[in-house]
Amino acid sequence: MLGLLAALAGGFPFYSASKYFPEEYSRFKNKLPAWAGGCFLLLSLAIYVGQMGWAVGLLTGFLALCLAYSLLPFVFHLPKKYFRVFWGVIAVFFILDLLF
């Protein structure tokens, strides 16, 4: 879960700079620089490699990057109430991941 969250944070600056980023979330636009996004992407890969080893960690990390890049447009085009519900569920899973 931590790796997926890092991948979501890493993909955000690149998605927010695109022309497909929704206008209703323009206040989030350009809040995170591209170099920080790259650092989050590398951190995501490092988390998976650290947890699972080199081969499986890299494969899982790249799969998580693809999943995160697919989730970003989906989540930002949800209606407002579902957008909040999604991030609430992510927060619950994040807390569970930290506890266990």
PDB file of all heavy atoms in Angstrom, residues 3-4 7 41-42 44-46 48-49 52 54-70:
ATOM      1  N   GLY A   3       3.797   1.575  -1.295  1.00  0.00           N
ATOM      2  CA  GLY A   3       4.352   1.715  -2.635  1.00  0.00           C
ATOM      3  C   GLY A   3       3.342   2.277  -3.619  1.00  0.00           C
ATOM      4  O   GLY A   3       3.680   3.104  -4.473  1.00  0.00           O
ATOM      5  N   LEU A   4       2.094   1.838  -3.483  1.00  0.00           N
ATOM      6  CA  LEU A   4       1.046   2.350  -4.372  1.00  0.00           C
ATOM      7  C   LEU A   4       0.774   3.826  -4.096  1.00  0.00           C
ATOM      8  O   LEU A   4       0.581   4.609  -5.032  1.00  0.00           O
ATOM      9  CB  LEU A   4      -0.231   1.530  -4.226  1.00  0.00           C
ATOM     10  CG  LEU A   4      -1.387   1.918  -5.130  1.00  0.00           C
ATOM     11  CD1 LEU A   4      -0.997   1.786  -6.596  1.00  0.00           C
ATOM     12  CD2 LEU A   4      -2.602   1.087  -4.822  1.00  0.00           C
ATOM     13  N   ALA A   7       3.488   5.765  -5.619  1.00  0.00           N
ATOM     14  CA  ALA A   7       3.312   5.817  -7.071  1.00  0.00           C
ATOM     15  C   ALA A   7       2.214   6.805  -7.463  1.00  0.00           C
ATOM     16  O   ALA A   7       2.343   7.525  -8.461  1.00  0.00           O
ATOM     17  CB  ALA A   7       2.991   4.422  -7.609  1.00  0.00           C
ATOM     18  N   LEU A  41       8.272   8.259  -7.499  1.00  0.00           N
ATOM     19  CA  LEU A  41       8.248   7.056  -8.322  1.00  0.00           C
ATOM     20  C   LEU A  41       9.407   6.128  -7.977  1.00  0.00           C
ATOM     21  O   LEU A  41       9.236   4.906  -7.870  1.00  0.00           O
ATOM     22  CB  LEU A  41       8.267   7.424  -9.805  1.00  0.00           C
ATOM     23  CG  LEU A  41       7.028   8.138 -10.335  1.00  0.00           C
ATOM     24  CD1 LEU A  41       7.234   8.557 -11.782  1.00  0.00           C
ATOM     25  CD2 LEU A  41       5.799   7.283 -10.199  1.00  0.00           C
ATOM     26  N   LEU A  42      10.592   6.694  -7.799  1.00  0.00           N
ATOM     27  CA  LEU A  42      11.739   5.880  -7.392  1.00  0.00           C
ATOM     28  C   LEU A  42      11.551   5.319  -5.988  1.00  0.00           C
ATOM     29  O   LEU A  42      11.934   4.174  -5.709  1.00  0.00           O
ATOM     30  CB  LEU A  42      13.019   6.701  -7.477  1.00  0.00           C
ATOM     31  CG  LEU A  42      13.500   7.036  -8.884  1.00  0.00           C
ATOM     32  CD1 LEU A  42      14.710   7.953  -8.824  1.00  0.00           C
ATOM     33  CD2 LEU A  42      13.808   5.773  -9.660  1.00  0.00           C
ATOM     34  N   SER A  44       8.706   4.532  -4.671  1.00  0.00           N
ATOM     35  CA  SER A  44       7.756   3.436  -4.826  1.00  0.00           C
ATOM     36  C   SER A  44       8.463   2.153  -5.250  1.00  0.00           C
ATOM     37  O   SER A  44       8.230   1.080  -4.678  1.00  0.00           O
ATOM     38  CB  SER A  44       6.687   3.814  -5.859  1.00  0.00           C
ATOM     39  OG  SER A  44       5.869   2.722  -6.161  1.00  0.00           O
ATOM     40  N   LEU A  45       9.333   2.266  -6.238  1.00  0.00           N
ATOM     41  CA  LEU A  45      10.086   1.087  -6.666  1.00  0.00           C
ATOM     42  C   LEU A  45      10.991   0.572  -5.550  1.00  0.00           C
ATOM     43  O   LEU A  45      11.112  -0.646  -5.348  1.00  0.00           O
ATOM     44  CB  LEU A  45      10.910   1.413  -7.903  1.00  0.00           C
ATOM     45  CG  LEU A  45      10.144   1.497  -9.210  1.00  0.00           C
ATOM     46  CD1 LEU A  45      11.064   1.937 -10.332  1.00  0.00           C
ATOM     47  CD2 LEU A  45       9.486   0.184  -9.548  1.00  0.00           C
ATOM     48  N   ALA A  46      11.609   1.467  -4.804  1.00  0.00           N
ATOM     49  CA  ALA A  46      12.489   1.056  -3.704  1.00  0.00           C
ATOM     50  C   ALA A  46      11.708   0.336  -2.610  1.00  0.00           C
ATOM     51  O   ALA A  46      12.209  -0.630  -2.015  1.00  0.00           O
ATOM     52  CB  ALA A  46      13.197   2.267  -3.131  1.00  0.00           C
ATOM     53  N   TYR A  48       8.979  -1.511  -3.016  1.00  0.00           N
ATOM     54  CA  TYR A  48       8.660  -2.859  -3.490  1.00  0.00           C
ATOM     55  C   TYR A  48       9.902  -3.746  -3.539  1.00  0.00           C
ATOM     56  O   TYR A  48       9.834  -4.920  -3.186  1.00  0.00           O
ATOM     57  CB  TYR A  48       7.984  -2.808  -4.862  1.00  0.00           C
ATOM     58  CG  TYR A  48       6.536  -2.402  -4.768  1.00  0.00           C
ATOM     59  CD1 TYR A  48       6.090  -1.200  -5.286  1.00  0.00           C
ATOM     60  CD2 TYR A  48       5.603  -3.229  -4.149  1.00  0.00           C
ATOM     61  CE1 TYR A  48       4.770  -0.822  -5.182  1.00  0.00           C
ATOM     62  CE2 TYR A  48       4.276  -2.859  -4.047  1.00  0.00           C
ATOM     63  CZ  TYR A  48       3.864  -1.656  -4.566  1.00  0.00           C
ATOM     64  OH  TYR A  48       2.555  -1.285  -4.457  1.00  0.00           O
ATOM     65  N   VAL A  49      11.026  -3.200  -3.971  1.00  0.00           N
ATOM     66  CA  VAL A  49      12.263  -3.988  -4.012  1.00  0.00           C
ATOM     67  C   VAL A  49      12.696  -4.358  -2.599  1.00  0.00           C
ATOM     68  O   VAL A  49      13.134  -5.483  -2.340  1.00  0.00           O
ATOM     69  CB  VAL A  49      13.370  -3.226  -4.772  1.00  0.00           C
ATOM     70  CG1 VAL A  49      14.723  -3.868  -4.569  1.00  0.00           C
ATOM     71  CG2 VAL A  49      13.033  -3.155  -6.258  1.00  0.00           C
ATOM     72  N   MET A  52      10.176  -7.193  -1.385  1.00  0.00           N
ATOM     73  CA  MET A  52      10.015  -8.442  -2.121  1.00  0.00           C
ATOM     74  C   MET A  52      11.265  -8.951  -2.814  1.00  0.00           C
ATOM     75  O   MET A  52      11.213  -9.992  -3.450  1.00  0.00           O
ATOM     76  CB  MET A  52       8.914  -8.261  -3.175  1.00  0.00           C
ATOM     77  CG  MET A  52       7.598  -7.892  -2.615  1.00  0.00           C
ATOM     78  SD  MET A  52       6.437  -7.629  -3.943  1.00  0.00           S
ATOM     79  CE  MET A  52       5.067  -6.977  -3.041  1.00  0.00           C
ATOM     80  N   TRP A  54      14.735  -8.196  -5.549  1.00  0.00           N
ATOM     81  CA  TRP A  54      14.961  -7.476  -6.799  1.00  0.00           C
ATOM     82  C   TRP A  54      13.988  -7.838  -7.907  1.00  0.00           C
ATOM     83  O   TRP A  54      13.349  -6.958  -8.482  1.00  0.00           O
ATOM     84  CB  TRP A  54      16.394  -7.705  -7.288  1.00  0.00           C
ATOM     85  CG  TRP A  54      17.366  -6.844  -6.562  1.00  0.00           C
ATOM     86  CD1 TRP A  54      18.183  -7.223  -5.542  1.00  0.00           C
ATOM     87  CD2 TRP A  54      17.589  -5.462  -6.766  1.00  0.00           C
ATOM     88  NE1 TRP A  54      18.904  -6.159  -5.092  1.00  0.00           N
ATOM     89  CE2 TRP A  54      18.574  -5.052  -5.837  1.00  0.00           C
ATOM     90  CE3 TRP A  54      17.085  -4.523  -7.635  1.00  0.00           C
ATOM     91  CZ2 TRP A  54      19.041  -3.752  -5.760  1.00  0.00           C
ATOM     92  CZ3 TRP A  54      17.550  -3.225  -7.565  1.00  0.00           C
ATOM     93  CH2 TRP A  54      18.517  -2.852  -6.641  1.00  0.00           C
ATOM     94  N   ALA A  55      13.877  -9.102  -8.231  1.00  0.00           N
ATOM     95  CA  ALA A  55      13.086  -9.498  -9.406  1.00  0.00           C
ATOM     96  C   ALA A  55      11.599  -9.257  -9.186  1.00  0.00           C
ATOM     97  O   ALA A  55      10.947  -8.539  -9.961  1.00  0.00           O
ATOM     98  CB  ALA A  55      13.353 -10.961  -9.742  1.00  0.00           C
ATOM     99  N   VAL A  56      11.058  -9.835  -8.145  1.00  0.00           N
ATOM    100  CA  VAL A  56       9.621  -9.695  -7.888  1.00  0.00           C
ATOM    101  C   VAL A  56       9.285  -8.250  -7.509  1.00  0.00           C
ATOM    102  O   VAL A  56       8.237  -7.733  -7.903  1.00  0.00           O
ATOM    103  CB  VAL A  56       9.178 -10.680  -6.781  1.00  0.00           C
ATOM    104  CG1 VAL A  56       7.719 -10.504  -6.437  1.00  0.00           C
ATOM    105  CG2 VAL A  56       9.437 -12.109  -7.210  1.00  0.00           C
ATOM    106  N   GLY A  57      10.172  -7.595  -6.789  1.00  0.00           N
ATOM    107  CA  GLY A  57       9.938  -6.206  -6.397  1.00  0.00           C
ATOM    108  C   GLY A  57       9.872  -5.265  -7.586  1.00  0.00           C
ATOM    109  O   GLY A  57       9.014  -4.383  -7.632  1.00  0.00           O
ATOM    110  N   LEU A  58      10.784  -5.437  -8.542  1.00  0.00           N
ATOM    111  CA  LEU A  58      10.736  -4.590  -9.740  1.00  0.00           C
ATOM    112  C   LEU A  58       9.489  -4.854 -10.571  1.00  0.00           C
ATOM    113  O   LEU A  58       8.839  -3.912 -11.051  1.00  0.00           O
ATOM    114  CB  LEU A  58      11.987  -4.795 -10.589  1.00  0.00           C
ATOM    115  CG  LEU A  58      13.241  -4.076 -10.120  1.00  0.00           C
ATOM    116  CD1 LEU A  58      14.428  -4.460 -10.994  1.00  0.00           C
ATOM    117  CD2 LEU A  58      13.041  -2.580 -10.136  1.00  0.00           C
ATOM    118  N   LEU A  59       9.129  -6.110 -10.727  1.00  0.00           N
ATOM    119  CA  LEU A  59       7.916  -6.435 -11.488  1.00  0.00           C
ATOM    120  C   LEU A  59       6.673  -5.881 -10.800  1.00  0.00           C
ATOM    121  O   LEU A  59       5.809  -5.271 -11.444  1.00  0.00           O
ATOM    122  CB  LEU A  59       7.793  -7.941 -11.673  1.00  0.00           C
ATOM    123  CG  LEU A  59       8.786  -8.587 -12.628  1.00  0.00           C
ATOM    124  CD1 LEU A  59       8.666 -10.100 -12.591  1.00  0.00           C
ATOM    125  CD2 LEU A  59       8.559  -8.076 -14.033  1.00  0.00           C
ATOM    126  N   THR A  60       6.584  -6.073  -9.500  1.00  0.00           N
ATOM    127  CA  THR A  60       5.432  -5.564  -8.762  1.00  0.00           C
ATOM    128  C   THR A  60       5.439  -4.042  -8.742  1.00  0.00           C
ATOM    129  O   THR A  60       4.379  -3.409  -8.841  1.00  0.00           O
ATOM    130  CB  THR A  60       5.438  -6.112  -7.324  1.00  0.00           C
ATOM    131  OG1 THR A  60       5.546  -7.532  -7.368  1.00  0.00           O
ATOM    132  CG2 THR A  60       4.187  -5.727  -6.582  1.00  0.00           C
ATOM    133  N   GLY A  61       6.606  -3.442  -8.618  1.00  0.00           N
ATOM    134  CA  GLY A  61       6.704  -1.988  -8.618  1.00  0.00           C
ATOM    135  C   GLY A  61       6.250  -1.383  -9.932  1.00  0.00           C
ATOM    136  O   GLY A  61       5.515  -0.391  -9.947  1.00  0.00           O
ATOM    137  N   PHE A  62       6.672  -1.965 -11.034  1.00  0.00           N
ATOM    138  CA  PHE A  62       6.229  -1.451 -12.333  1.00  0.00           C
ATOM    139  C   PHE A  62       4.741  -1.693 -12.551  1.00  0.00           C
ATOM    140  O   PHE A  62       4.055  -0.862 -13.160  1.00  0.00           O
ATOM    141  CB  PHE A  62       7.048  -2.053 -13.471  1.00  0.00           C
ATOM    142  CG  PHE A  62       8.434  -1.480 -13.560  1.00  0.00           C
ATOM    143  CD1 PHE A  62       9.536  -2.293 -13.564  1.00  0.00           C
ATOM    144  CD2 PHE A  62       8.631  -0.107 -13.624  1.00  0.00           C
ATOM    145  CE1 PHE A  62      10.818  -1.771 -13.636  1.00  0.00           C
ATOM    146  CE2 PHE A  62       9.902   0.434 -13.697  1.00  0.00           C
ATOM    147  CZ  PHE A  62      10.996  -0.396 -13.705  1.00  0.00           C
ATOM    148  N   LEU A  63       4.220  -2.781 -12.032  1.00  0.00           N
ATOM    149  CA  LEU A  63       2.785  -3.029 -12.096  1.00  0.00           C
ATOM    150  C   LEU A  63       2.028  -1.990 -11.267  1.00  0.00           C
ATOM    151  O   LEU A  63       0.980  -1.486 -11.692  1.00  0.00           O
ATOM    152  CB  LEU A  63       2.465  -4.444 -11.612  1.00  0.00           C
ATOM    153  CG  LEU A  63       1.010  -4.857 -11.675  1.00  0.00           C
ATOM    154  CD1 LEU A  63       0.577  -4.987 -13.127  1.00  0.00           C
ATOM    155  CD2 LEU A  63       0.807  -6.169 -10.958  1.00  0.00           C
ATOM    156  N   ALA A  64       2.567  -1.648 -10.096  1.00  0.00           N
ATOM    157  CA  ALA A  64       1.938  -0.620  -9.257  1.00  0.00           C
ATOM    158  C   ALA A  64       1.988   0.745  -9.939  1.00  0.00           C
ATOM    159  O   ALA A  64       1.045   1.536  -9.808  1.00  0.00           O
ATOM    160  CB  ALA A  64       2.615  -0.564  -7.897  1.00  0.00           C
ATOM    161  N   LEU A  65       3.068   1.039 -10.644  1.00  0.00           N
ATOM    162  CA  LEU A  65       3.142   2.309 -11.376  1.00  0.00           C
ATOM    163  C   LEU A  65       2.064   2.369 -12.453  1.00  0.00           C
ATOM    164  O   LEU A  65       1.401   3.401 -12.623  1.00  0.00           O
ATOM    165  CB  LEU A  65       4.517   2.491 -12.009  1.00  0.00           C
ATOM    166  CG  LEU A  65       5.685   2.727 -11.072  1.00  0.00           C
ATOM    167  CD1 LEU A  65       6.977   2.838 -11.870  1.00  0.00           C
ATOM    168  CD2 LEU A  65       5.471   3.948 -10.234  1.00  0.00           C
ATOM    169  N   CYS A  66       1.879   1.265 -13.164  1.00  0.00           N
ATOM    170  CA  CYS A  66       0.827   1.225 -14.190  1.00  0.00           C
ATOM    171  C   CYS A  66      -0.554   1.380 -13.557  1.00  0.00           C
ATOM    172  O   CYS A  66      -1.412   2.089 -14.084  1.00  0.00           O
ATOM    173  CB  CYS A  66       0.902  -0.076 -14.966  1.00  0.00           C
ATOM    174  SG  CYS A  66       2.372  -0.240 -15.971  1.00  0.00           S
ATOM    175  N   LEU A  67      -0.760   0.723 -12.422  1.00  0.00           N
ATOM    176  CA  LEU A  67      -2.039   0.830 -11.723  1.00  0.00           C
ATOM    177  C   LEU A  67      -2.273   2.256 -11.242  1.00  0.00           C
ATOM    178  O   LEU A  67      -3.373   2.795 -11.392  1.00  0.00           O
ATOM    179  CB  LEU A  67      -2.079  -0.137 -10.542  1.00  0.00           C
ATOM    180  CG  LEU A  67      -3.313  -0.058  -9.652  1.00  0.00           C
ATOM    181  CD1 LEU A  67      -4.548  -0.498 -10.432  1.00  0.00           C
ATOM    182  CD2 LEU A  67      -3.130  -0.898  -8.418  1.00  0.00           C
ATOM    183  N   ALA A  68      -1.247   2.879 -10.691  1.00  0.00           N
ATOM    184  CA  ALA A  68      -1.386   4.252 -10.197  1.00  0.00           C
ATOM    185  C   ALA A  68      -1.681   5.214 -11.342  1.00  0.00           C
ATOM    186  O   ALA A  68      -2.539   6.098 -11.206  1.00  0.00           O
ATOM    187  CB  ALA A  68      -0.113   4.672  -9.463  1.00  0.00           C
ATOM    188  N   TYR A  69      -1.006   5.046 -12.458  1.00  0.00           N
ATOM    189  CA  TYR A  69      -1.254   5.924 -13.603  1.00  0.00           C
ATOM    190  C   TYR A  69      -2.649   5.704 -14.171  1.00  0.00           C
ATOM    191  O   TYR A  69      -3.237   6.623 -14.717  1.00  0.00           O
ATOM    192  CB  TYR A  69      -0.208   5.697 -14.684  1.00  0.00           C
ATOM    193  CG  TYR A  69       1.045   6.520 -14.504  1.00  0.00           C
ATOM    194  CD1 TYR A  69       1.502   6.870 -13.245  1.00  0.00           C
ATOM    195  CD2 TYR A  69       1.759   6.964 -15.593  1.00  0.00           C
ATOM    196  CE1 TYR A  69       2.643   7.627 -13.077  1.00  0.00           C
ATOM    197  CE2 TYR A  69       2.909   7.720 -15.435  1.00  0.00           C
ATOM    198  CZ  TYR A  69       3.335   8.051 -14.182  1.00  0.00           C
ATOM    199  OH  TYR A  69       4.454   8.814 -14.023  1.00  0.00           O
ATOM    200  N   SER A  70      -3.175   4.509 -14.041  1.00  0.00           N
ATOM    201  CA  SER A  70      -4.540   4.244 -14.494  1.00  0.00           C
ATOM    202  C   SER A  70      -5.571   4.773 -13.512  1.00  0.00           C
ATOM    203  O   SER A  70      -6.667   5.184 -13.914  1.00  0.00           O
ATOM    204  CB  SER A  70      -4.754   2.741 -14.673  1.00  0.00           C
ATOM    205  OG  SER A  70      -3.873   2.230 -15.623  1.00  0.00           O
TER     206      SER A  70
END
